[in-house]
Amino acid sequence: MNAPAAPACLGLDRPLRVAIIGNPNTGKTTLFNALTGLRQRVGNFAGVTVERVEGAFTLGDGRRVTILDLPGSYSLTAGSPDEQIALEVLLRRDRSHWDPDVVLVVVDAVHLDRNLFLASQVCELGLPVVIALNQIDVAESQGIAIDIPELIHELGVPVIPTVASRGEGLDPLRNALFSAAALPAPTPRFAIDASAETSLARHKWIGEVVSRTVTRRARSLDTPSDRVDAIALHRVGGPLLFLVIMALVFQAVFSWAAPLQDAIESLVLAIGSRVGDVLPEGDLQSLVVDGVFAGVGSVLVFLPQIAILFGFIGILEQSGYMARAAFLMDGLMRRVGLHGKSFIPMLSGYACAVPGIMATRTIEDPKDRLATIMVVPLMSCSARLPVYTLLIGTFIPALPLIPGLDLQGATMLLMYLLGTVTALAIAALFRKTLLRGPVRPMILELPPYRWPAPKSLMVSVWQRCQVFLRRAGTVILSLSILLWALATYPRAAQDPTRTAEQQQEAQLAHSVLGRFGQAIEPAVAPLGYDWKIGVSIVASFAAREVFVSTMGTIYGVGGEDDAALADRLRAETDASGAPVYTPLIAVGLMVFYVYALMCMSTIAVTVREAGGGRIGWRWATIQFVYMLALAYGAAWLVLVIGRALGFS
Amino acid sequence: MRLDTVITLAIVAVALGTVIRRLVKQMRAARTSPAGGPGCGNCGDG
């Protein structure tokens, strides 16, 4: 059945097309989510949306609207790649020919003067326009009163007050979109160009409009946000507070997750054991128990850590603290030659390098952008979390350091800091060599602090958990099965003189995986690793978590009981009886994972975002090679220095 | 060949197909339009 069309007066036989545009951090995506029921990522800082996202909604009478959320922009003459995306749609030059029928401009009621610059430009495009005056509640709480009828009169377009975060004003807005589509486009006042004369004339006109429509109640300059910022942005106190917050987050990842992790681990072991009992002895039983349960199960146990980490990141993002973190880092970023805007993509890299690299589209200068792309994968992403957590939980003792922080939490914090500090150092190197250029100042808007919305926070954590589970159920499951096959075939001859454990070791050594591992062992031996670690590292080039699942599979095939992976790693010894894994080896391995670029998706997105084709591949190759060299060199240094200091 | 070995090999073949399909998808994403992520699954992009 065809979707009911837009009003017949428009002559459209398709749903109405609405493009959403507005300044960064005005609540465009929150409004988009409220209108469409979708769950696009939102944050209390600029630059969260860097590409076009399409959704749809249907009115009660069956009329349908498709709606396009565009990246934030301060004007129609700006030049960063994300702003270009918005511009192409509004100027009807979009390659997919998604030409909007109505433009919905989201305007922050608190900063009407600044937001009207873009809104007034959009009004001159010859398209019907509706303005959503969003965050009207915040404006009222700050003593700002807006004469909406007068504003409609001044602008010549419908203006609808909204509070997108609470879903207020949505029905009038939906109706206004349909009504506006049948109205003529507003009359242009100025030309859309980047000349100083036009900009000055536009600002002057905006000043007059604001003076006629906005009244401000005298209020204290010392708002709650200002009082918090006095500490959060203090030259000494600010960075200290940032470190304390991050230390607490990583400590919580260990302390809070432990009981849940134990419960999941027991459940996975119990189900694996029960399934093993039901299946007849043979290849299929081994595949299910040693491949699927030992492999995927060893990764699944890290679900609580993922949920806790992203719960905290969500709170920091939605509260507005992340924008303060970017502000704190701006001076440091400029000293290393990076634009302050680079910090948001780097922060996104803590979740995953792919959206981090895509977030560099907010950076106008190509050299700034490329330097940021080259270092974003050094930020420890969530795929590294299972590796860090397994190794820290198994080999680093929980020695209390200061109240609220033990050695495990501190080690985790150190790994994240190591990646961040190295990213800044490498960026400085790129900016002084291959990507030399001037450093530009950054204008950063600090949003007011807001309480995170519990529902939105839960949704964002659940989405992260879903992604983790989907990844475990697809790529990690497939690779675990393949690795099981490689560790199982060809079958070694049965030797009655061997114990069960010796027979399993012989099987592993005889398998394709074992032979491959022994072939590459000389390459990893200088780092203190045996062939099993070498194989796990190679396998994890597909996805970092596969290190853990490969370990699970190898020790599942080679193990004799159903002990947890951590216990098997602790008990593993070499031919001389010495432990294969020591705290020093674990730290070296973690350092290797901080630096190595082991992610096919990141390589693919770097190729594309660095220019595509041969140029893109060249930068992706440079990125892969320098990160691998850094990983190998740093892991070797950890081993050498550690041994010189007397660690085993 | 035992039935359980046949089933096992079939599962391994499906897993191999999944991994290859994923690899091809990512390599295509490196070449194609700016919209959409290469689908690492980690970021929810794909």
Side-chain angles (χ1 to χ4, degrees):
Chain A
M1 193 177 76
N2 288 334
C9 58
L10 293 177
L12 299 176
D13 57 356
R14 54 168 172 76
L16 188 77
R17 287 175 177 168
V18 176
I20 301 186
I21 182 92
N23 283 188
N25 205 35
T26 50
K28 294 178 295 301
T29 304
T30 308
L31 191 60
F32 173 85
N33 286 347
L35 286 170
T36 61
L38 290 177
R39 291 168 175 179
Q40 280 299 312
R41 180 171 168 245
V42 293
N44 187 10
F45 55 91
V48 177
T49 306
V50 289
E51 59 177 350
R52 37 182 291 171
V53 181
E54 196 173 330
F57 66 85
T58 308
L59 290 184
D61 57 9
R63 289 178 296 174
R64 276 185 62 78
V65 178
T66 55
I67 192 159
L68 195 66
D69 186 20
L70 295 170
S73 183
Y74 287 107
S75 84
L76 291 182
T77 48
S80 66
D82 61 328
E83 288 167 330
Q84 288 293 334
I85 292 170
L87 199 56
E88 279 173 14
V89 171
L90 294 181
L91 296 180
R92 300 187 161 199
R93 291 199 303 238
D94 179 52
R95 270 183 293 177
S96 63
H97 302 292
W98 199 99
D99 298 337
D101 301 310
V102 181
V103 182
L104 171 59
V105 185
V106 184
V107 164
D108 177 0
V110 181
H111 302 106
L112 189 64
D113 42 358
R114 195 193 58 217
N115 282 240
L116 281 183
F117 192 90
L118 174 73
S120 67
Q121 285 185 320
V122 173
C123 287
E124 282 145 19
L125 290 172
L127 287 166
V129 173
V130 173
I131 290 181
L133 196 57
N134 198 30
Q135 303 185 57
I136 194 80
D137 57 333
V138 181
E140 283 165 1
S141 73
Q142 293 187 10
I144 299 169
I146 299 172
D147 183 345
I148 292 172
E150 179 60 23
L151 191 60
I152 294 171
H153 173 70
E154 292 284 351
L155 300 176
V157 297
V159 177
I160 311 294
T162 57
V163 183
S165 57
R166 294 206 299 258
E168 291 174 14
L170 296 186
D171 284 338
L173 185 62
R174 288 186 183 110
N175 290 325
L177 290 171
F178 270 99
S179 309
L183 295 174
T187 316
R189 286 183 189 81
F190 307 96
I192 302 174
D193 60 39
S195 73
E197 292 81 21
T198 311
S199 294
L200 281 173
R202 196 183 294 279
H203 277 300
K204 187 167 177 282
W205 174 77
I206 290 169
E208 289 164 7
V209 170
V210 170
S211 69
R212 283 194 287 271
T213 54
V214 179
T215 48
R216 290 170 195 273
R217 198 177 61 225
R219 66 182 183 98
S220 162
L221 288 173
D222 194 20
T223 63
S225 279
D226 295 333
R227 286 195 290 276
V228 177
D229 278 343
I231 303 163
L233 299 180
H234 189 270
R235 281 183 65 182
V236 181
L240 269 179
L241 180 69
F242 181 67
L243 271 182
V244 168
I245 289 174
M246 296 321 284
L248 288 177
V249 168
F250 294 125
Q251 185 58 47
V253 165
F254 277 100
S255 310
W256 297 4
L260 280 169
Q261 186 182 0
D262 291 344
I264 296 177
E265 198 161 41
S266 306
L267 189 70
V268 169
L269 285 173
I271 297 174
S273 167
R274 180 65 60 89
V275 172
D277 292 342
V278 171
L279 288 171
E281 202 168 312
D283 283 351
L284 190 59
Q285 184 205 47
S286 175
L287 168 74
V288 173
V289 176
D290 303 328
V292 176
F293 278 92
V296 181
S298 58
V299 174
L300 269 186
V301 297
F302 297 105
L303 184 64
Q305 275 92 342
I306 298 282
I308 291 170
L309 181 66
F310 282 103
F312 276 110
I313 288 179
I315 291 170
L316 295 177
E317 280 183 353
Q318 291 189 18
S319 66
Y321 183 76
M322 282 302 191
R324 271 75 185 176
F327 179 83
L328 286 174
M329 293 295 285
D330 182 43
L332 188 59
M333 303 293 274
R334 266 187 291 158
R335 270 199 288 281
V336 302
L338 277 180
H339 192 280
K341 274 189 181 176
S342 302
F343 189 62
I344 295 297
M346 289 170 77
L347 273 180
S348 303
Y350 281 136
C352 174
V354 170
I357 289 173
M358 286 170 68
T360 61
R361 290 178 182 184
T362 56
I363 303 168
E364 289 92 348
D365 183 82
K367 286 183 178 174
D368 277 337
R369 184 168 178 239
L370 204 45
T372 313
I373 289 173
M374 297 302 282
V375 300
V376 164
L378 284 168
M379 312 302 283
S380 282
C381 65
S382 60
R384 284 156 165 124
L385 193 66
V387 180
Y388 295 162
T389 315
L390 172 71
L391 294 171
I392 292 174
T394 309
F395 297 105
I396 307 293
L399 292 175
L401 296 178
I402 50 171
L405 183 69
D406 65 25
L407 191 58
Q408 290 185 332
T411 309
M412 181 80 110
L413 176 64
L414 200 66
M415 292 303 138
Y416 276 76
L417 283 179
L418 188 64
T420 312
V421 170
T422 310
L424 294 174
I426 297 289
L429 196 65
F430 272 114
R431 292 294 277 150
K432 287 196 172 95
T433 54
L434 294 176
L435 299 168
R436 196 190 298 263
V439 181
R440 289 169 177 75
M442 175 180 71
I443 299 168
L444 180 74
E445 184 184 332
L446 292 181
Y449 287 103
R450 289 179 204 143
W451 286 108
K455 190 182 164 198
S456 163
L457 195 63
M458 300 271 274
V459 165
S460 108
V461 171
W462 172 235
Q463 282 178 331
R464 284 287 167 191
C465 291
Q466 273 182 315
V467 165
F468 180 76
L469 291 172
R470 195 165 55 232
R471 213 164 138 81
T474 53
V475 63
I476 294 167
L477 174 66
S478 304
L479 285 166
S480 295
I481 291 170
L482 280 185
L483 285 161
W484 170 87
L486 293 173
T488 306
Y489 302 114
R491 288 283 190 198
Q494 292 286 334
D495 182 347
T497 61
R498 292 184 186 136
T499 63
E501 196 178 348
Q502 285 169 335
Q503 182 61 39
Q504 278 154 340
E505 277 295 320
Q507 168 57 45
L508 257 185
H510 186 71
S511 68
V512 175
L513 196 71
R515 291 177 201 190
F516 173 73
Q518 281 147 15
I520 63 160
E521 194 169 24
V524 295
L527 306 181
Y529 307 157
D530 69 352
W531 72 264
K532 292 174 186 169
I533 303 178
V535 161
S536 302
I537 288 175
V538 171
S540 65
F541 274 93
R544 290 181 178 93
E545 309 95 313
V546 173
F547 174 83
V548 176
S549 61
T550 309
M551 283 282 178
T553 304
I554 288 177
Y555 287 102
V557 173
E560 60 176 83
D561 54 23
D562 57 358
L565 180 57
D567 298 329
R568 291 183 181 184
L569 296 184
R570 277 192 213 102
E572 178 76 351
T573 52
D574 62 16
S576 67
V580 170
Y581 300 90
T582 62
L584 183 61
I585 295 289
V587 171
L589 252 177
M590 280 189 281
V591 169
F592 185 91
Y593 273 88
V594 166
Y595 291 139
L597 176 51
M598 308 164 98
C599 179
M600 298 296 294
S601 318
T602 305
I603 294 170
V605 79
T606 297
V607 171
R608 202 185 61 195
E609 298 292 319
R614 198 173 289 179
I615 297 172
W617 276 108
R618 192 185 73 174
W619 284 109
T621 307
I622 293 172
Q623 189 182 49
F624 180 80
V625 171
Y626 98 73
M627 287 182 70
L628 187 61
L630 199 60
Y632 196 93
W636 179 77
L637 272 179
V638 167
L639 187 74
V640 171
I641 295 172
R643 282 185 177 160
L645 292 174
F647 294 101
S648 57
Chain B
M1 200 182 281
R2 284 175 52 183
L3 178 64
D4 111 321
T5 307
V6 173
I7 296 171
T8 305
L9 291 178
I11 294 172
V12 172
V14 170
L16 182 63
T18 307
V19 171
I20 291 172
R21 206 170 56 235
R22 186 181 156 76
L23 197 66
V24 170
K25 185 184 160 196
Q26 286 177 336
M27 287 304 106
R28 273 204 195 124
R31 283 189 277 125
T32 50
S33 72
C40 68
N42 222 17
C43 56
D45 257 334

